[in-house]
């Protein structure tokens, strides 16, 4: 089932950058699919996001 | 018009045998009336629909033993043949026709006593969806996706909000049910997704923090301390919720006991007076709180004024003395004289004459005589007025204090009178002669009422104590979170892990905040709609105040004086409240689903039937309503309204009661 409009609206209103908003939607879709092994999926996504952010931050500084 | 049930088709199903029942609306409304005598298939219609959708006959009696297979078919059955029992429910929404098909095959055996027995074999559930537009527009969906389609249209968790038994209202607002309602509403609004994401992120957050802690002993110590505080906070929150839940329950019981006492004519007046006094006492408590605030402000203000009062008076006296002696304001500008002395070689800026030695000596004397500079003089003039105000205020201290004390005494005296009268009423009711009215044991009811009141007061006290401790722990929690952040910054060596932790914290914060807003908005929306529909349905316009729904989805109705009166509602009013709440849940779920009601007016008193029938007709202009009546319930006053707008479907059972013989 698609994530409800009211939740999507609230995510859009959150005071975080677009990448984090996307990550939030992905996490909710994972929950909706009823994933059993959530830990490894969550960890992988969070690690990827943190690494990407670090690269982006360095890129901006350079 | 939203989702509509168009047709229910039966094959060998109970007394319906093999039939199609079609529900037709018209341009103005979508109201269907179905009339059947008790035992001829009224509730079976409801059971057939729930069996088709949920594989369960939700409204079946506990002692039901007849098989699903129609008894006439069973009696004539051949053991070599399989007999299908099938129910199809056809619905229509904006863009599709959907048919839910459930079937179960039966094999028949003959028992030693000669009776035939139907044994169920394999079953099938499928959904046929036909899009209104498009070329390849029909699809057949099997389990488990088929069950998902059911969930989308008729969520099984709240089935009785679509298929409603008017006779079973007693438990409609039961506490345990409100938890189910809350859970289902959270499900509908996908709040459970947010809750699960928060739970999972919480676990990962804890593990990440542990990993960081291994590299920093300070961090670990603070983390442990914070975990301890978090647990204590959880404990306080749960304790507060527990006391509040208990008080909700006690208030409900109190309402019931009060209603009971009101039924005894000789003490009705006393009971009414007691409720008035109780309300007065509540108002007095509010006034006491306001007075306490006023006293605090007064003390804060006067603590400063009184502690500086001697200095204020001294300074003001000095300014007044200088004014009297002419030193204030000074007639000579000290700065100008000093400038003349400093630039003695220049000409006087006032008279343009040269300044000689004698003039210089004169100027020096003037300067020596001046004790107040212009700047100081201006400053003293500036502060004089506020000082006077402070001193004046200080003089009013006693009168203001007396006024506050008098107010406090007046409130205390009113409280004393009120409490005394309440005690007298309690004694009068408690000592009421039990033999005068045998139906209600008044002294015992009174004792129970007193015990409930004492328990409620004790719970209120416990809530206050726990809330105070919770506040302290929340402050500790905030401090520890800040300390953790500081320690985290020190541990730069594990940069990526810290970034992950910070991201998890940010995600958690966002999800918590969304969860809070969504649940709050949802509850508020249901509350507002319930209130509006209830007031629209109810014809006693001057009795009822607000309808509220608390965080645990308990529905309460207040009277105009703000007394809870949920427990005192008549059966008709309970029904109106149940309809209002049901329709609010429908609306909040975002799907305009049909409402099938068994005995829609069954508990409505005769004089209110026409009104309730009219209210339901109004609802049918916006959504489909199918009503299952007995002929008695479909009384003249209802018939007069509904026969004009709909063609009632009446079913007639065969003489041997094995099947429905006629549908007209």
């Amino acid at each position: 089932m698609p994530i409800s409009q009211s939740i999507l609206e609230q995510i859009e209103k959150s005071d975080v950058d677009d990448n984090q908003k996307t990550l939030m939607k992905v996490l909710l879709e994972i929950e909706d699919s009823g994933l059993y092994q959530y830990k490894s999926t969550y960890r992988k996504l969070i690690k990827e996001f943190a690494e990407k952010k670090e690269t982006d931050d360095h890129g901006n500084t350079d | 018009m939203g989702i509509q049930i168009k047709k229910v088709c039966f094959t060998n199903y109970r007394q319906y045998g093999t039939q199609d029942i079609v529900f037709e609306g018209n341009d103005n409304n979508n109201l269907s009336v179905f009339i059947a005598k008790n035992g001829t298939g009224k509730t079976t219609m409801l059971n057939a629909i729930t069996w088709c959708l949920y594989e369960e006959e939700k409204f079946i009696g506990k002692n039901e033993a007849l098989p699903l297979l129609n008894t006439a078919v069973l009696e004539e059955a051949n053991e070599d043949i399989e007999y299908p029992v099938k129910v199809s429910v056809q619905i229509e929404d904006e863009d599709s026709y959907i048919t839910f098909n459930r079937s179960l095959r039966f094999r028949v055996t003959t028992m030693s006593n000669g009776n035939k027995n139907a044994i169920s074999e394999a079953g099938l559930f499928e959904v046929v969806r036909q899009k209104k537009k498009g070329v390849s527009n029909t699809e057949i969906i099997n389990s488990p996706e088929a069950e998902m389609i059911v969930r989308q249209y008729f969520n099984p968790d709240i089935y009785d909000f679509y298929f409603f038994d008017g006779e079973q209202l007693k438990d409609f607002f039961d506490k345990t049910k409100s938890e189910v309602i809350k859970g289902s509403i959270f499900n509908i609004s996908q709040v459970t997704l947010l809750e699960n994401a928060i739970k999972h992120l919480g676990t990962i957050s804890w593990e990440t923090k542990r990993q960081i802690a291994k590299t920093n002993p300070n961090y670990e110590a603070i983390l442990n301390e914070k975990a301890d505080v978090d647990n204590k906070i959880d404990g306080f929150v749960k304790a507060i919720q527990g006391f509040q839940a208990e008080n909700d329950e006690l208030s409900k019981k109190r309402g019931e006991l009060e209603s009971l006492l009101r039924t005894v004519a000789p003490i009705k007046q006393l009971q009414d007076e007691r409720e008035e006094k109780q309300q007065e006492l509540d108002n007095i408590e509010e006034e006491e709180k306001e007075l306490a605030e006023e006293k605090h402000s007064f003390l804060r203000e006067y603590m400063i004024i009184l502690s500086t009062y001697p200095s204020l008076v001294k300074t003001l006296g000095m300014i007044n003395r200088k004014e009297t002696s002419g030193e204030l304001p000074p007639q000579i500008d000290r700065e100008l004289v000093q400038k003349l002395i400093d630039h003695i070689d220049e000409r006087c800026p006032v008279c343009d004459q040269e300044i000689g030695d004698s003039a210089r000596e004169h100027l020096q004397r003037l300067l020596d005589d001046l004790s107040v500079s212009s700047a100081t003089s201006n400053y003293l003039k500036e502060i004089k007025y506020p000082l006077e105000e402070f001193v004046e205020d200080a003089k009013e201290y006693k009168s203001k204090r007396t006024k506050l004390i008098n107010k406090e005494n007046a409130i205390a005296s009113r409280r004393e009178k009120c409490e005394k009268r309440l005690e007298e009423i309690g004694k009068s009711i408690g000592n009421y002669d039990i033999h005068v009215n045998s139906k209600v044991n008044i002294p015992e009811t009174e004792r129970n009422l007193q015990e409930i009141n004492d328990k409620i007061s004790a719970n209120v006290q416990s809530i206050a104590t726990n809330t105070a401790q919770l506040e302290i722990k929340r402050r500790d929690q905030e401090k520890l979170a800040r300390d953790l952040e500081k320690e985290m910054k020190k541990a730069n060596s594990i940069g990526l892990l810290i970034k992950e932790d910070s991201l998890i914290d940010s995600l958690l914060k966002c999800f918590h905040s969304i969860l809070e807003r969504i649940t709050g908005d949802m509850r508020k929306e249901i509350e507002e709609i319930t209130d509006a529909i209830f007031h629209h349905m109810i014809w006693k316009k001057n009795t009822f105040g607000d309808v509220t729904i608390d965080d645990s989805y308990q529905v309460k109705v207040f009277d105009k004086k703000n007394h809870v009166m949920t427990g005192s509602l008549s059966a008709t009013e309970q029904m109106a409240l149940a309809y209002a709440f049901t329709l609010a849940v429908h609306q909040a779920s975002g799907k305009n689903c049909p409402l099938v009601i068994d005995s829609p007016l069954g508990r409505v008193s005769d004089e209110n039937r026409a009104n309730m029938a009219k209210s339901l007709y109004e609802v049918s202009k916006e959504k489909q309503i199918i009503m299952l009546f007995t002929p008695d319930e479909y009384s003249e006053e209802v018939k007069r309204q509904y026969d004009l707008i709909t063609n009632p479907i009446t079913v007639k059972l065969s003489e041997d009661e094995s099947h429905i013989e006629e549908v007209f």
Side-chain angles (χ1 to χ4, degrees):
Chain A
M1 204 184 289
I3 306 301
S4 78
Q5 203 53 39
S6 55
I7 292 183
L8 291 177
E9 277 170 20
Q10 293 294 344
I11 290 178
E12 286 309 317
K13 279 184 196 165
S14 302
D15 188 20
V16 289
D17 62 34
D18 287 349
N19 288 335
Q20 192 172 323
K21 285 176 189 170
T22 309
L23 178 61
M24 287 164 77
K25 289 176 203 167
V26 172
L27 292 177
L28 290 179
E29 277 160 16
I30 288 170
E31 290 299 340
D32 190 41
S33 68
L35 192 78
Y36 182 63
Q37 297 286 353
Y38 75 89
K39 265 192 196 175
S40 54
T41 315
Y42 264 58
R43 281 215 167 282
K44 187 170 168 277
L45 283 165
I46 287 163
K47 196 174 170 53
E48 278 172 10
F49 183 90
E51 277 171 354
K52 187 175 180 304
K53 192 163 176 9
E54 196 170 47
T55 316
D56 290 351
D57 289 350
H58 280 300
N60 290 339
T61 316
D62 296 344
Chain B
M1 186 59 84
I3 301 156
Q4 296 168 60
I5 297 177
K6 304 299 287 183
K7 193 158 64 168
V8 181
C9 306
F10 305 89
T11 308
N12 297 333
Y13 179 83
R14 295 198 180 277
Q15 65 264 53
Y16 278 87
T18 300
Q19 313 256 357
D20 291 354
I21 306 277
V22 178
F23 299 102
E24 284 171 346
N26 59 43
D27 291 343
N28 298 322
N29 66 75
N30 203 336
L31 182 74
S32 295
V33 170
F34 184 89
I35 304 166
K37 279 185 188 171
N38 273 329
T40 58
K42 190 168 60 75
T43 309
T44 308
M45 167 64 81
L46 216 52
N47 277 323
I49 299 174
T50 63
W51 181 73
C52 172
L53 297 173
Y54 310 127
E55 203 185 356
E56 193 183 342
E57 296 177 299
K58 300 277 190 185
F59 300 90
I60 204 150
K62 281 176 189 164
N63 300 320
E64 187 73 46
L66 285 172
L68 284 180
L69 185 62
N70 176 271
T71 49
V73 175
L74 179 66
E75 288 311 313
E76 300 298 321
N78 186 324
E79 292 194 8
D80 301 326
I81 301 172
E82 279 188 344
Y83 293 87
V85 170
K86 186 177 172 188
V87 176
S88 299
V89 176
Q90 195 185 94
I91 67 165
E92 178 186 352
D93 72 0
E94 282 79 6
D95 51 15
S96 334
Y97 298 103
I98 296 165
T99 306
F100 300 93
N101 294 320
R102 186 175 298 279
S103 60
L104 192 59
R105 280 182 286 131
F106 282 87
R107 191 167 285 283
V108 176
T109 56
T110 307
M111 293 187 291
S112 54
N113 59 4
N115 288 344
K116 286 190 172 170
N117 188 25
I119 300 162
S120 62
E121 303 264 316
L124 176 77
F125 181 58
E126 63 175 20
V127 175
V128 180
R129 182 158 55 191
Q130 186 188 2
K131 293 271 180 198
K132 289 181 179 173
K133 287 177 189 166
V135 185
S136 171
N137 57 1
T138 302
E139 56 177 335
I140 296 174
I141 303 152
N142 294 304
S143 290
E145 285 78 14
E147 276 81 8
M148 291 301 291
I149 309 273
V150 173
R151 183 166 279 277
Q152 276 178 29
Y153 287 93
F154 301 98
N155 185 337
D157 298 331
I158 48 168
Y159 72 89
D160 46 358
F161 281 84
Y162 313 114
F163 311 107
F164 191 99
D165 187 351
E167 294 284 1
Q168 301 297 322
L169 277 178
K170 198 165 73 69
D171 303 323
F172 194 83
F173 294 109
D174 187 78
K175 181 93 185 155
T176 50
K177 193 164 174 196
S178 67
E179 282 302 312
V180 176
I181 293 166
K182 186 180 171 184
S184 307
I185 289 167
F186 278 15
N187 237 328
I188 292 167
S189 53
Q190 294 181 325
V191 168
T192 38
L193 294 186
L194 289 164
E195 285 178 333
N196 289 342
I198 288 171
K199 191 174 137 203
H200 292 152
L201 278 171
T203 311
I204 290 173
S205 166
W206 178 248
E207 287 176 2
T208 311
K209 283 181 168 55
R210 279 273 152 230
Q211 267 179 283
I212 298 170
K214 282 179 192 164
T215 65
N216 183 343
N218 269 353
Y219 185 89
E220 186 170 23
I222 299 169
L223 194 61
N224 287 338
E225 200 179 335
K226 187 170 174 292
D228 188 39
V229 171
D230 290 346
N231 283 337
K232 282 186 177 143
I233 285 177
D234 276 352
F236 287 130
V237 169
K238 278 181 189 148
I240 291 168
Q241 285 169 344
F243 288 125
Q244 276 166 344
E246 194 181 359
N247 268 7
D248 286 345
E249 202 56 38
L250 289 167
S251 298
K252 200 173 152 191
K253 277 186 196 158
R254 179 166 68 182
E256 284 163 8
L257 293 179
E258 284 172 348
S259 308
L260 193 63
L261 290 176
R262 269 200 299 271
T263 62
V264 185
I267 61 161
K268 183 183 181 301
Q269 204 178 346
L270 279 174
Q271 181 56 26
D272 286 346
E273 190 190 346
R274 172 154 68 181
E275 283 176 34
E276 259 174 44
K277 288 283 164 199
Q278 196 58 53
Q279 184 61 42
E280 193 182 326
L281 201 59
D282 291 345
N283 294 341
I284 288 172
E285 272 168 18
E286 280 304 311
E287 284 179 46
E288 282 172 342
K289 278 183 200 161
E290 280 168 25
L291 183 67
E293 276 295 311
E294 209 178 324
K295 272 169 78 182
H296 278 131
S297 312
F298 173 77
L299 287 174
R300 271 197 301 275
E301 183 189 349
Y302 275 96
M303 195 169 66
I304 301 165
I305 295 177
L306 293 180
S307 61
T308 54
Y309 184 71
S311 310
L312 293 175
V313 173
K314 198 175 166 188
T315 311
L316 193 62
M318 184 265 287
I319 294 170
N320 287 336
R321 274 197 309 279
K322 283 195 183 292
E323 275 184 340
T324 314
S325 67
E327 290 175 72
L328 274 179
Q331 290 167 337
I332 299 156
D333 187 336
R334 189 184 170 101
E335 280 77 27
L336 180 64
V337 175
Q338 187 63 56
K339 196 177 167 188
L340 287 172
I341 294 169
D342 291 345
H343 300 86
I344 203 75
D345 298 338
E346 294 173 12
R347 300 175 85 85
C348 172
V350 181
C351 62
D352 200 32
Q353 299 291 317
E354 280 185 13
I355 301 167
D357 287 345
S358 61
R360 194 166 62 103
E361 281 166 24
H362 177 68
L363 287 170
Q364 192 59 53
R365 273 199 306 277
L366 272 177
L367 198 62
D368 294 343
D369 289 344
L370 283 175
S371 57
V372 184
S373 74
S374 302
T376 311
S377 159
N378 287 338
Y379 176 67
L380 290 174
K381 279 193 292 180
E382 247 174 55
I383 64 165
K384 188 189 169 195
Y385 180 68
L387 283 177
E388 279 174 343
E389 275 207 327
F390 282 133
V391 171
E392 279 307 308
D393 273 351
K395 282 179 190 163
E396 284 177 13
Y397 169 74
K398 276 188 181 168
S399 66
K400 281 188 179 173
R401 185 170 159 270
T402 311
K403 214 173 161 184
L404 276 175
I405 291 171
N406 289 343
K407 198 172 174 183
E408 193 174 19
N409 289 340
I411 293 175
S413 154
R414 276 169 52 217
R415 173 184 266 282
E416 198 183 328
K417 275 185 198 162
C418 197
E419 283 176 340
K420 198 175 164 198
R421 182 62 193 143
L422 275 169
E423 201 182 321
E424 284 167 3
I425 295 171
K427 274 184 189 161
S428 301
I429 297 177
N431 294 332
Y432 192 78
D433 188 350
I434 191 168
H435 302 294
V436 174
N437 187 308
S438 57
K439 281 184 190 163
V440 182
N441 186 336
I442 296 166
E444 193 186 311
T445 309
E446 181 57 23
R447 268 197 306 281
N448 291 340
L449 202 55
Q450 194 51 50
E451 276 172 23
I452 286 174
N453 279 334
D454 290 347
K455 186 74 188 139
I456 288 177
S457 300
N459 282 348
V460 167
Q461 189 60 44
S462 303
I463 289 171
T465 314
N466 277 284
T467 307
Q469 285 173 313
L470 180 66
E471 282 305 308
I472 295 168
K473 290 291 165 203
R474 285 223 160 111
R475 280 199 291 273
D476 291 350
Q477 190 186 40
E478 280 169 22
K479 185 187 171 299
L480 289 165
R482 284 196 299 273
D483 291 349
L484 270 182
E485 210 175 317
K486 277 184 207 160
E487 288 302 324
M488 180 95 88
K489 281 178 185 159
K490 287 182 194 170
N492 280 329
S493 56
I494 39 169
L496 189 59
L497 211 49
I498 286 167
K499 282 202 165 62
E500 285 178 30
D501 183 67
S502 154
L503 169 64
I504 296 167
D505 282 351
S506 168
L507 288 166
L508 273 169
K509 197 174 156 196
C510 288
F511 278 142
H512 269 298
S513 147
I514 293 172
L515 179 72
E516 209 169 289
R517 281 199 295 268
I518 298 246
T519 49
D521 289 353
M522 184 67 102
R523 189 197 55 74
K524 204 164 183 313
E525 189 187 353
I526 293 178
E527 181 180 86
E528 283 170 3
I529 302 169
T530 307
D531 184 86
I533 299 176
F534 179 72
H535 281 96
H536 181 73
M537 276 191 161
I538 219 77
W539 35 93
K540 278 154 73 179
K541 298 293 176 200
N542 296 317
T543 307
F544 298 102
D546 291 338
V547 177
T548 64
I549 296 171
D550 65 18
D551 288 337
S552 56
Y553 277 78
Q554 280 277 297
V555 183
K556 279 186 192 157
V557 180
F558 291 85
D559 68 6
K560 290 276 187 207
K561 288 177 182 172
N562 224 21
H563 293 125
V564 178
M565 58 178 305
T566 323
S568 324
L569 296 179
S570 68
T572 310
E573 289 156 358
Q574 271 184 39
M575 199 146 205
L577 184 62
Y579 285 145
F581 187 56
T582 300
L583 295 168
V585 171
H586 276 217
Q587 209 163 318
S589 74
K591 279 201 187 295
N592 189 2
C593 293
L595 184 58
V596 185
I597 317 169
D598 188 8
S599 297
L601 306 173
R603 284 166 55 90
V604 180
S605 52
D606 291 344
E607 68 272 21
N608 292 323
R609 273 198 182 167
N611 284 323
M612 185 64 93
K614 190 174 169 220
S615 296
L616 289 169
Y617 162 62
E618 292 295 326
V619 175
S620 77
K621 290 177 181 173
E622 303 292 331
K623 70 157 60 233
Q624 185 189 26
I625 297 193
I626 298 173
M627 300 191 199
L628 315 176
F629 285 101
T630 58
D632 287 348
E633 199 186 341
Y634 198 63
S635 55
E636 275 308 314
E637 62 268 36
V638 182
K639 195 173 158 62
R640 268 199 297 276
Q641 288 189 49
Y642 286 176
D643 277 2
L644 293 173
I645 50 172
T646 183
N647 293 320
I649 304 164
T650 306
V651 294
K652 195 180 160 200
L653 207 58
S654 63
E655 209 160 294
D656 65 354
E657 298 177 0
S658 65
H659 64 280
I660 286 172
E661 190 175 65
E662 213 179 339
V663 178
F664 53 98

